[in-house]
Each structure stands twice: as C-alpha cells, then as structure tokens.
Amino acid sequence: MFRFIVRRILTAALTMVAISVVAFLIIELPPGDYLTSYAATLAEQGDILSEERLEQMRVSFGLGEPLPTRYFKWVGNIVLRGNFGRSLEWRIPVNQIIWHRIGYTVLINISTILFVWTVAIPIGVYSATRQYSPGDYIATFFGFLGLAIPNFMLALVLMWIGFSVFGQHVGGLFSPEYRDAPWDLNKFIDLLSHLWIPMVVVGTAGTAGLIRTMRANMLDEITQPYVETARAKGLAEWRLIWKYPVRVALNPFISTIGYALPELVGGVVIVAVVLNLPTIGPILLRSLLSQDMFLAGAIILIVSVLTIIGTFISDIMLALIDPRIRLE
Amino acid sequence: MRDQATRRNGMLRRLSRNRSGAAGLLLVLAFLLVALAGLLGLTPRAPAQQFMANRLAAPSAEFPLGTDLFGRDIASRLISGAAVSLRVAITAVAMAGGLGAALGILAGYAGGRVDHLLMRLMDVLFAFPALLLALVVVTVLGPGPSNSALAIAIVYLPIFARVARGPVLSVKELDFVLAARCLGLRPQSVLLRHVLPNITAPLIVQVSLALSWALLTEAALSYLGLGTQPPAASWGVMLSESRPLAERAPWMMVFPGLAIMAGVLGFNLLGDGLRDVLDPRLRGRYAAA
C-alpha cells in the first residue's frame, strides 16, 4: 500500500508539472499579448499609447523576457509565495479576484453532488430491482431526457418560469439587499433560496447519467450468487439490496468522484453566465477573451490541480477498497 | 460480400428490436434528413431574409415556427442550423476518432514506453475539464465553427484513445494475431486487418456518443458567442438571441431548444442501443464518460 501511494504521488506530481506547462503555453499561444490588445482597445477609443509607455509596461509585466524564464518566474511565484501574479485587466492581484469565487464554485458543486447522489442512487436502485416496470421506464425516459437537455437551456427555462409564474428574477446567488451584507442567518437563508436553481440546473445531467450507471451496475450485481445466498439465508429483500449489491454497485462511483468536481466547474461556466452566478466560470471566459493571461492561467491551473487531487483521492480510495488494484 | 451484407442486416434488425436504439435511430435519421436539406439550401425561406412586417410573429400557417426579432423565419433558420451542427459534429468526431483510435491502437499494440508516453499525454489532456478545455481552445484559436470543431476534437481525443487501447491490449494476445505475425505480416497489416476489425464495436458506440456531445458543445459554444457567428443560423446562436425576448416570444427559445434536445437524445439513444446490440458485455461501462 505504501509503495502504491508513493508511486501515485509521483505520477500526480509529474502530471501537475506537465499541466502547468500546458496551462502556461495556452495563455502564451494567442498571437500578440495583453499589451497589444490593450493598446488596440485604447486606439479604438482614440487614445494612442506612446512607444515609450508600452515598453515601460512590457518591462514591468515581464513580457519581454524569453519564454522559459517567464514560465519559471510564473511557477516560482505560485509555488514559493502563493502569488498568482496581477490581473492585467483588473489591476489587482489575481488572488483577490479568484478565491471567494472559488469558494462559491465549490459550494455550488458540493451541493450539486449531494443533490445528484440523493436523487440518483435511490432511483437507480429502484429501476434495477423493478426492471421493465412502469417506474423503470419513466426513470429511464427522464434519465435520457436529462442527459439531452443542454443545462444552459434548462437554466433559461427555469428563469422564464420563475419570472412568468412567480414574478421574481432567479439569477444570482443573493437578493440585492443581501449581496454586500455581512454573513448572518437571513443572508444564509437567502442564499439557500437561490442555490436550488443552479443545483437543479447543473445537477440534472449528472443525475441522469448516474441513474443509468447505477441501474446498469445494479443489474450486473443482483444476479450474482452472493445475493442468492443472502436471500436463501432469509434476509429481508430490502435490507439485502441495500446491504450487499448497492455497496458493490457504488464502487465505480468512487472512481468518478475525482472527475466530478472539476467537471462541474467546467459545466457550470455556461450556466453561470446565464444565471449570473458569482463563480469562477464567467471570470475565466472574460479573462481568456481579454488575454488577461495571469488570471486565466491561474484559473486553468487551479481547476486542473483540483482534478489531479480528486483523481489521486479516488485512486487511494479504490485501492483501499479493492486489493486487486493496490497489488497491481 | 453477400455474407457481410446479411450480417449488417442482422445488426440493423437487432437494433430496430432494441427499443431505445430504434427510437434513437429514428431521431438521428430525422436529424440527418433536416441537416441534409439545410446543406442543400432547401429551406422554405432564405434563413437570413428579414420580414420586417412580421417581427416576433407567433407560429402560424405562414411562419410555422414563428419569426424572430428581425422577422426571420425560425423554421428555415432551424434547418440551416442543423446543417451547421452536423458539419461541426462530424468534422470534430472524424478528427478525434481517427487520430484518437490510431494513437490508442498504437499505444496498446506497441506497449512499453510508447504506450506509457502516449497515455500520459492523453491523461494530461483528460485532466482538463471537458467544456473548459473546449472554451480555452476556442478562445485561443479564435471563434468560429471550424475552430469549435477542432476544440471538440481535442477534448474527445483522449476518450477515443482510451476506448481503442483497452480492447487492443486483450486482442493482441490472441492466437490469430500471433499467427498473423508468425506468417510474417507487417505490423501495419496486422493492425489494420486483424486487430482493428476486432475492436470496432466500442469505437462505433463511442462515435455515436461523441456526436451527441459534439452537438451539445457546438450549441453551448455558439451560445457563448464563440462558435458559429451571427448572422449565420446555429441552434446555439438562436438560443442566445432568444434570451432577452423569452417572455415576449417563447417560440424563439422553445424550438431551437427542442431541436438540440432531439439531436442529442437521438445520438445518445442510438449509441446506447448500438452498445447493447454490438456487445452486451459493454453495457454500463463508459456510461459515465
């Protein structure tokens, strides 16, 4: 087990290095740099930056140095000082922009995962144990529908319903009066009354996918001899199902938990734009479009590192559960 | 030749007996038909033509699905949008599938260092959340339909590589592959004639699922203004144009939304049906991917 963990840590570390290089290359790829587009924007407004001023800014942002030097500077600052650089567009440190947004993103994601699991697992189990019953067909139908509806469309529809039926705007995470208020119970309740919409919107596709996976896994398990044995010894059907096959069928979920979090960060981007959520997605989109490279790079890096950590955790959990994996 | 034809017929028959597969096949055929009409320009009206007297008209005999803010016929725009979606989806999946399968087969068959290197590269790509990666690629390359196809292809590359590599690992150990090698066949003939035909089932299933994801992603990117550019008609563009008008003209939102849903659902159901028909052992796997 120890050797397994060490090997996994090494792989994870190597992947992180590779990803930091890729993230850096991505933000370097577009032709021109932030200053070129900044100067172009100013020129559009009839304002010309002098060559001198441009050169000055280029030096202060470190844009004139060779590529590897810039990479090591960038990574070095992050690893040694937790400094992701300054946002070129907002002119404040990247750290000030992203962390509270990452907080909200994680909040939405965790509540979405909870929503998905509490809905999908019971339905999946029901579908499998009552295979080909009307309930199973209904669940399967809605499962496919949930997978096929683009989540940004679901967001639009919910907003429309919210407006035309309840006469309220459902975007955002807070009502205007609470947005900048300090935290108290009322603000928390206000948050909960807004949170369910992104939760449902983002969770629908995941729920649908999970119902199908759960159903398929359960169908594989409930025909196994050990289930027959448990039934033969007289265990009540309901307890039997939840005690044995469900636990085995849940196994593959652990391997996807690692992807769940970052996948949701990505999936939330569009929903967040539609619903006007204070999450990381809209900022990433904006920073990419305006070539705000330190901000974009920081977000890409953090999200990818989250994926690696998630995968690492799920690998360890799988190894703990299944000895075949750790002895491989 | 005749033998092959009967086998294919058998597959179609089994697929049509599979309820979800049959439903998927119908939806996909309908989508292809509409997209083909769009490709050939067979729309009731020119998709960009503006009927200013009929702005925001509700569905009627004249405009069966209504008109948008500029009085453009929504039905015609949907048809021409289908062609855009199909072109992007097919380009993307062809690129991802071709290159991904080639890399996966190579990695699986060569094994050792080649395998390790290729698959770690794929892991790095895979570590980026799918939609995020697509967004990044499109913003870096610049918006437009061909770049969104490329972005979708890059995202799907590691999935095809993985799906192709898995079965190669087991197929390459089988006796007929050994026999082919003993007969002195060159590696490329062994791969193309003996390994590839035995791993097509999971690849075909994946193609169908990839097409459904590609449709969805093209719509999402266009919605954000990064895919197909207005005034060209695209389902995602139409959805985003409908947003500020959703209360006054819900048909602007409903029909493109339904179109996306039907297309995505069709390829999804078809992929699932194909999986059941081609290889029952695969059921349930890759479902999360």
Side-chain angles (χ1 to χ4, degrees), chain A residues 56-288:
Chain A
Q56 214 178 358
M57 287 176 79
R58 186 158 284 139
V59 172
S60 75
F61 288 141
L63 292 178
E65 288 166 63
L67 201 68
T69 319
R70 268 179 294 157
Y71 170 73
F72 283 113
K73 245 184 170 170
W74 183 63
V75 170
N77 269 325
I78 293 170
V79 176
L80 298 177
R81 296 182 206 102
N83 177 4
F84 284 93
R86 289 173 76 82
S87 160
L88 302 172
E89 194 189 1
W90 299 59
R91 305 195 186 175
I92 48 174
V94 167
N95 281 331
Q96 284 179 24
I97 304 175
I98 53 177
W99 290 111
H100 72 276
R101 284 175 174 271
I102 286 186
Y104 286 126
T105 310
V106 170
L107 173 76
I108 290 178
N109 286 344
I110 289 178
S111 45
T112 304
I113 291 174
L114 287 179
F115 167 76
V116 168
W117 282 56
T118 44
V119 174
I121 293 174
I123 295 182
V125 171
Y126 175 87
S127 262
T129 48
R130 307 264 188 286
Q131 199 187 3
Y132 302 134
S133 69
D136 177 30
Y137 278 122
I138 293 173
T140 307
F141 177 73
F142 278 105
F144 274 118
L145 216 57
L147 270 183
I149 299 179
N151 53 14
F152 57 99
M153 198 184 104
L154 199 61
L156 284 172
V157 171
L158 278 184
M159 278 177 88
W160 179 51
I161 292 177
F163 188 80
S164 58
V165 179
F166 303 108
Q168 85 176 84
H169 282 287
V170 292
L173 272 188
F174 298 104
S175 307
E177 62 266 33
Y178 288 112
R179 191 165 299 144
D180 296 315
W183 278 103
D184 60 14
L185 193 63
N186 288 334
K187 182 171 181 176
F188 184 67
I189 293 171
D190 185 59
L191 173 67
L192 288 186
S193 74
H194 284 81
L195 192 60
W196 70 272
I197 291 194
M199 205 166 88
V200 171
V201 167
V202 179
T204 302
T207 310
L210 209 71
I211 288 175
R212 284 173 53 202
T213 316
M214 190 68 204
R215 179 175 179 272
N217 289 346
M218 276 300 285
L219 285 177
D220 283 347
E221 289 305 324
I222 50 180
T223 49
Q224 300 283 328
Y226 71 85
V227 177
E228 205 63 27
T229 312
R231 200 171 283 142
K233 80 173 188 186
L235 209 59
E237 188 69 16
W238 192 78
R239 282 197 55 193
L240 180 161
I241 294 285
W242 285 93
K243 200 165 175 193
Y244 301 110
V246 168
R247 277 163 59 179
V248 184
L250 275 179
N251 206 339
F253 288 114
I254 299 170
S255 59
T256 52
I257 223 181
Y259 299 122
L261 192 92
E263 197 55 55
L264 286 172
V265 173
V268 172
V269 174
I270 294 176
V271 176
V273 171
V274 175
L275 286 178
N276 190 21
L277 300 176
T279 54
I280 207 79
I283 285 288
L284 172 66
L285 190 62
R286 187 163 157 188
S287 63
L288 282 170

Side-chain angles (χ1 to χ4, degrees), chain A residues 11 15 18-19 22-23 26 29-31 137 144-145 147-153 156-157 159-160 163-164 209 212-213 216-217 219-220 256 259 262-263 265-267 269-270 273-275 284-285 288-289 300 303-304 307-308, chain B residues 19-20 120 123-124 126-133 135-136 139-140 162 209 216 219-221 223-224 226 236 239-240 242-243 246-248 250 253-254 256-258 260-262 264-265 268-269 272 275 283-285 287-288:
Chain A
T11 323
T15 321
I19 279 187
V22 174
I26 285 173
L29 264 184
Y137 278 122
F144 274 118
L145 216 57
L147 270 183
I149 299 179
N151 53 14
F152 57 99
M153 198 184 104
L156 284 172
V157 171
M159 278 177 88
W160 179 51
F163 188 80
S164 58
R212 284 173 53 202
T213 316
N217 289 346
L219 285 177
D220 283 347
T256 52
Y259 299 122
E263 197 55 55
V265 173
V269 174
I270 294 176
V273 171
V274 175
L275 286 178
L284 172 66
L285 190 62
L288 282 170
L289 289 173
I300 295 171
V303 170
S304 313
T307 319
I308 297 173
Chain B
R19 224 175 294 195
S20 66
R120 283 299 82 74
D123 281 351
V124 170
F126 202 67
F128 289 100
L131 197 60
L132 202 69
L133 183 59
L135 272 179
V136 170
T139 43
V140 166
R162 284 181 171 199
L209 297 179
L216 197 56
L221 290 174
Y223 180 88
L224 289 178
L226 298 170
L239 261 190
S240 88
S242 82
R243 192 188 161 194
E247 281 131 41
R248 278 177 64 200
M253 181 171 87
V254 171
L258 283 178
I260 298 174
M261 254 172 64
V264 173
L265 188 64
N268 237 318
L269 287 174
D272 242 53
R275 173 186 296 148
R283 222 179 325 146
R285 310 259 172 84

